[in-house]
Amino acid sequence: MFLHKQALQYNATPEKPDAVYARKLQEVIGGQYGEITVAMQYSFQAWNAHIPGKYRDLLFSTAAEEFGHVEMLATMVAQLLEKAPQGITDDAVQDDPTVAAVVGGMDVQDAILAGAGARPVDSNGNPWNAGYVTASGNLLADFTSNINAEMQGRIAVARLYHQTDDPGVRDLLSFLLARDTHHQNQWLAAARELQETGMEQLPVPSNFPVKKEHREFSYQAINFSDGKSMAEGPWASGPSPDGLGEFSYVDTPPQGVPMPPPTHPDSRFYGTTEVPNIVEKTAGAVQDKLKKE
């Protein structure tokens, strides 16, 4: 059950309109690491969780908060667009460089499709994509993905903070930065606890039998680049973070094995092969006649 409370978690009121900045702010609404993404990601992770209790409750709570962040940002965008012009003549553009900048920089679909409001798109107008969402059912994998999402989202908000001097906008961004700080630490703490309690371990998935992998390759740092410094990292020697192996360094990739010959699918896929066209055509006709799939 979802209930909507007509209140915002924090203030979302700019000091003055700014149609160009409204477009920039769309990135943290509908971009890859925007609030729609984390709201949906945490929701689906909760719905896909296989155990009751604190982890599932944490996911549901954080998802609900992130939907609230979408609402705050959408409210801010609408106010930034509130005084945006509906249409401007060529003369007006030429006479007023400020207006020209607005026309050149604002997302015109905010006006045409949303009536001076926000949309579920990024700063270039690309629609939000469900492919941004990670919800695997493995909590360690999911929480690690959440750490990245919060880090990338906080980077975007921090950059946006320096692209405006509006105190109202900055006030909201300061709040969102603080919440991203908490969420980064929250998911780090949850991921750490999963490992400390033995509920999940590295490598993910930890309940897959490691004897089924070729263990001689499991801890090799193989240098596939002509860079010279890779061997200096902790991934090239010493114990691995999962505690199950010792890193080694291979300076030159192995020779490899020969490529298999090109494939020859059913002639009715109509791919080009070295077999004469008439032969392919005849084979297809025969297969059709025999109803052979």
Side-chain angles (χ1 to χ4, degrees), residues 87-104:
I88 301 173
T89 66
D90 289 342
D91 289 342
V93 171
Q94 294 171 6
D95 294 342
D96 189 338
T98 302
V99 172
V102 171
V103 172

Coordinates of all heavy atoms in Angstrom, one line a residue, residues 87-104:
G87 N 7.0 32.0 -25.4 CA 7.5 32.2 -26.8 C 8.2 33.5 -27.0 O 7.8 34.5 -26.3
I88 N 9.2 33.5 -27.8 CA 10.0 34.7 -27.9 C 10.3 35.0 -29.4 O 10.6 34.1 -30.2 CB 11.4 34.6 -27.2 CG1 11.1 34.3 -25.7 CG2 12.2 35.8 -27.4 CD1 12.4 34.0 -25.0
T89 N 10.1 36.2 -29.9 CA 10.4 36.6 -31.3 C 11.9 36.6 -31.5 O 12.7 36.8 -30.6 CB 9.7 37.9 -31.6 OG1 10.4 39.0 -30.9 CG2 8.3 38.0 -31.3
D90 N 12.2 36.6 -32.8 CA 13.6 36.7 -33.2 C 14.2 38.0 -32.7 O 15.4 38.0 -32.2 CB 13.8 36.6 -34.7 CG 13.5 35.2 -35.2 OD1 13.5 34.3 -34.4 OD2 13.2 35.0 -36.4
D91 N 13.5 39.1 -32.8 CA 14.0 40.4 -32.4 C 14.3 40.4 -30.9 O 15.3 40.9 -30.4 CB 13.0 41.5 -32.7 CG 12.9 41.8 -34.2 OD1 13.8 41.4 -34.9 OD2 11.9 42.4 -34.6
A92 N 13.4 39.8 -30.1 CA 13.6 39.7 -28.7 C 14.9 38.9 -28.3 O 15.7 39.3 -27.4 CB 12.4 39.1 -28.0
V93 N 15.1 37.9 -29.0 CA 16.3 37.1 -28.8 C 17.6 37.9 -29.1 O 18.5 37.9 -28.4 CB 16.3 35.8 -29.6 CG1 17.6 35.1 -29.6 CG2 15.2 34.9 -29.2
Q94 N 17.5 38.6 -30.2 CA 18.7 39.4 -30.6 C 18.9 40.6 -29.7 O 20.1 40.9 -29.4 CB 18.5 39.9 -32.1 CG 18.5 38.8 -33.1 CD 18.1 39.3 -34.5 OE1 17.9 40.5 -34.7 NE2 17.9 38.4 -35.4
D95 N 17.9 41.1 -29.1 CA 18.0 42.3 -28.3 C 18.4 42.0 -26.9 O 18.9 42.8 -26.1 CB 16.7 43.1 -28.2 CG 16.4 43.7 -29.6 OD1 17.3 43.8 -30.4 OD2 15.2 44.0 -29.8
D96 N 18.2 40.7 -26.4 CA 18.5 40.4 -25.0 C 19.3 39.1 -24.9 O 18.8 38.0 -25.1 CB 17.1 40.2 -24.3 CG 17.3 40.0 -22.8 OD1 18.4 39.7 -22.4 OD2 16.3 40.3 -22.1
P97 N 20.6 39.2 -24.7 CA 21.5 38.0 -24.7 C 21.0 37.1 -23.6 O 21.2 35.9 -23.7 CB 22.8 38.6 -24.4 CG 22.8 40.0 -24.8 CD 21.3 40.5 -24.6
T98 N 20.5 37.6 -22.5 CA 20.0 36.7 -21.4 C 18.9 35.8 -21.8 O 18.9 34.6 -21.6 CB 19.6 37.5 -20.2 OG1 20.7 38.4 -19.8 CG2 19.2 36.6 -19.0
V99 N 18.0 36.4 -22.5 CA 16.9 35.6 -23.1 C 17.4 34.6 -24.1 O 16.9 33.5 -24.1 CB 15.8 36.6 -23.7 CG1 14.8 35.7 -24.5 CG2 15.1 37.4 -22.7
A100 N 18.3 35.0 -24.9 CA 18.9 34.1 -25.9 C 19.5 32.9 -25.2 O 19.4 31.8 -25.7 CB 19.9 34.8 -26.8
A101 N 20.2 33.1 -24.1 CA 20.8 32.0 -23.4 C 19.8 31.1 -22.9 O 20.0 29.8 -22.9 CB 21.7 32.6 -22.2
V102 N 18.7 31.6 -22.4 CA 17.6 30.8 -21.9 C 17.0 29.9 -23.0 O 16.8 28.7 -22.9 CB 16.5 31.6 -21.2 CG1 15.3 30.8 -20.9 CG2 17.0 32.3 -20.0
V103 N 16.8 30.6 -24.1 CA 16.2 29.8 -25.3 C 17.1 28.7 -25.7 O 16.8 27.6 -26.1 CB 15.9 30.8 -26.4 CG1 15.5 30.0 -27.7 CG2 14.8 31.7 -26.0
G104 N 18.4 29.1 -25.7 CA 19.4 28.1 -26.2 C 19.7 27.0 -25.2 O 20.1 25.9 -25.6

